[in-house]
Amino acid sequence: MEILFKGSEGTPVMIVSGMGSSFDEWYEITETLSKTNRVIMFHRPGLGESELLKELRNTETVINEISEIIRLLEIDEPFIFVGHSYGGLCVQHFMKKHEEKVLGVVLVDSTSVNFKALDQLDLPVINEDSTDEAWLEKCLFYSSMNEERLRVQLKPTLTKQQLQFPIDIQKRLLEFQVKPNLYKAMYLEISHWERDAETIKNLNTSLNLPLIVIGRDKAHCISLAVEEGLPEKETELLENKWEELIEGQAYITKNSRLIFAKGSSHSIHLDRPDIILEAIRILKGMELEEKNEHIK
C-alpha cells in the first residue's frame, strides 16, 4: 500500500480521495495542513504504486484498509476524516462503523448513498457516456491496454492548478493516468458501489459527530458544462438533483454545517482548497446549529 504521511504533530487527518484520483492532486492542501497536523493519505489497491490483487473492491474493503493503516501507524487518537467524491462514500461507511475513531468529518462533494436517484433523470445526451454501464465499458477498454497505448489514447494532461505544483508532482500525476490497473480498480469499485450505498444506508446509526458538508457551485458547474457543449436543461436537472443529494448529507449527524463553495467544480480540492482547509481548522471545536451557508 502506497501511503503518504506528512507532518509531525497535531490532530491526525486522514484524506480519502475520489475514484481514480491520486493523492498528489491534494498537494497544496497536504503541504499547508502538514504545518499544523499529521496528514495521511493512501492509494487504494490499483492506484499509483499500490498493488491490485484479486480482492473485493468495495467500501467495506476500504474501511478495513483504513483501520489497518491506523494500526500500522500506531496512532490511537481519533482522526479528522476528509472524503471526496467516492472517498466520501467510504468515509460515510467508516464513520458509521467506527464512530470511536472519528473526531469529525469533512465531506467534499461526496457521493451520496442515494446517488441512484441520478439515474432517474431524463438526461439523454449526458447519459450517452456517463452511465455506470458506459464507465464500466470504458474502464474495461482502458485496462486492456499497456501504458504506451494508454498514453496515446488518453493524452494525459494537467489542470491549470496542477501546473502550479512542483515538477516531480506533475510527472507523478501524468504517470498516474496511464496505469492499466487504475482502470481495473475503477471497474471493481463502480461494480459494487450501488450495493455499498445500500449497505451504508442500512447502518441506521444515530451520530452526533461534527460534520461539515461541502458542495460544489451549481451555477458554476452549469456554466462549465454549457461551455463544453452539453444541453443546459439537462445540466440544470443534474445539478439540481446533485445539490439536493449534497444537502441530504447534512442530516447524517446532528451536528453539521452545509457549505456550497462558490466558483468550484467537483474538484473543490483544486478550485477552492482554502474552504477545505478552513473546514478542517474549525471542525474540532464546532458547536453549530445545522444551517446552510454559502461562502463567497
Side-chain angles (χ1 to χ4, degrees):
M1 184 79 73
E2 185 180 15
I3 298 173
L4 175 75
F5 192 112
K6 293 183 178 181
S8 59
E9 59 185 9
T11 302
V13 179
M14 174 85 75
I15 302 174
V16 186
S17 60
M19 186 178 294
S21 296
S22 169
F23 57 51
D24 287 315
E25 292 183 16
W26 290 74
Y27 175 80
E28 182 177 351
I29 287 175
T30 59
E31 280 292 290
T32 302
L33 194 57
S34 65
K35 297 173 183 176
T36 54
N37 295 80
R38 288 164 288 168
V39 185
I40 300 96
M41 294 191 71
F42 66 101
H43 281 149
R44 296 187 293 278
L47 280 63
E49 300 302 320
S50 293
E51 185 179 3
L52 179 64
L53 302 175
K54 293 185 177 180
E55 76 271 25
L56 185 67
R57 296 307 315 159
N58 60 11
T59 57
E60 182 76 37
T61 304
V62 175
I63 69 170
N64 291 337
E65 289 163 350
I66 291 172
S67 292
E68 179 62 12
I69 289 169
I70 292 172
R71 186 190 69 79
L72 289 172
L73 294 176
E74 299 182 335
I75 299 176
D76 59 2
E77 61 188 282
F79 278 63
I80 289 173
F81 284 89
V82 180
H84 174 240
S85 195
Y86 174 77
L89 190 66
C90 297
V91 168
Q92 290 174 61
H93 198 163
F94 189 91
M95 67 193 288
K96 286 190 171 187
K97 287 290 289 288
H98 302 291
E99 182 180 1
E100 75 284 355
K101 297 180 182 179
V102 183
L103 183 65
V105 171
V106 180
L107 294 178
V108 183
D109 218 36
S110 171
T111 302
S112 167
V113 294
N114 297 309
F115 74 89
K116 292 305 289 183
L118 297 169
D119 293 345
Q120 308 306 313
L121 303 177
D122 184 21
L123 308 172
V125 175
I126 290 176
N127 282 341
E128 283 179 5
D129 63 357
S130 295
T131 61
D132 283 1
E133 292 73 20
W135 271 107
L136 289 170
E137 186 176 334
K138 282 190 281 191
C139 288
L140 273 180
F141 178 57
Y142 294 150
S143 68
S144 69
M145 299 181 179
N146 60 30
E147 290 186 21
E148 289 309 311
R149 285 185 63 198
L150 279 171
R151 205 179 310 277
V152 172
Q153 176 74 27
L154 298 175
K155 300 178 177 60
T157 59
L158 300 174
T159 67
K160 64 180 182 180
Q161 297 95 334
Q162 292 168 344
L163 288 170
Q164 304 303 311
F165 295 169
I167 294 298
D168 63 317
I169 300 297
Q170 293 184 38
K171 289 180 179 178
R172 282 172 52 87
L173 284 166
L174 290 170
E175 287 302 310
F176 182 90
Q177 299 175 53
V178 296
K179 303 284 188 181
N181 275 350
L182 169 64
Y183 303 99
K184 291 179 184 178
M186 290 176 64
Y187 180 91
L188 293 171
E189 290 178 346
I190 294 169
S191 297
H192 292 99
W193 67 350
E194 185 174 349
R195 279 167 286 178
D196 291 340
E198 290 302 313
T199 297
I200 297 166
K201 276 198 288 187
N202 290 333
L203 295 172
N204 291 316
T205 306
S206 179
L207 299 173
N208 197 38
L209 292 168
L211 167 67
I212 298 179
V213 177
I214 306 176
R216 65 199 189 211
D217 183 336
K218 177 172 68 176
H220 180 68
C221 289
I222 292 170
S223 177
L224 290 176
V226 171
E227 286 177 14
E228 293 175 1
L230 292 174
E232 185 170 3
K233 287 187 177 180
E234 286 191 28
T235 305
E236 287 177 349
L237 274 175
L238 175 63
E239 291 299 327
N240 284 336
K241 177 57 71 172
W242 183 270
E243 183 175 80
E244 179 185 317
L245 294 174
I246 292 293
E247 290 171 344
Q249 292 171 26
Y251 296 94
I252 295 173
T253 82
K254 300 173 183 177
N255 183 19
S256 66
R257 172 182 284 187
L258 174 61
I259 295 168
F260 288 100
K262 188 171 180 61
S264 71
S265 66
H266 183 54
S267 298
I268 298 173
H269 57 298
L270 294 173
D271 296 330
R272 293 298 307 272
D274 58 307
I275 288 180
I276 297 174
L277 288 167
E278 177 65 8
I280 295 168
R281 189 188 69 79
I282 68 173
L283 196 58
K284 282 193 297 181
M286 196 172 83
E287 294 180 359
L288 304 167
E289 297 179 357
E290 271 184 36
K291 63 179 181 179
N292 297 349
E293 177 173 341
H294 287 257
I295 289 187
K296 296 183 179 180

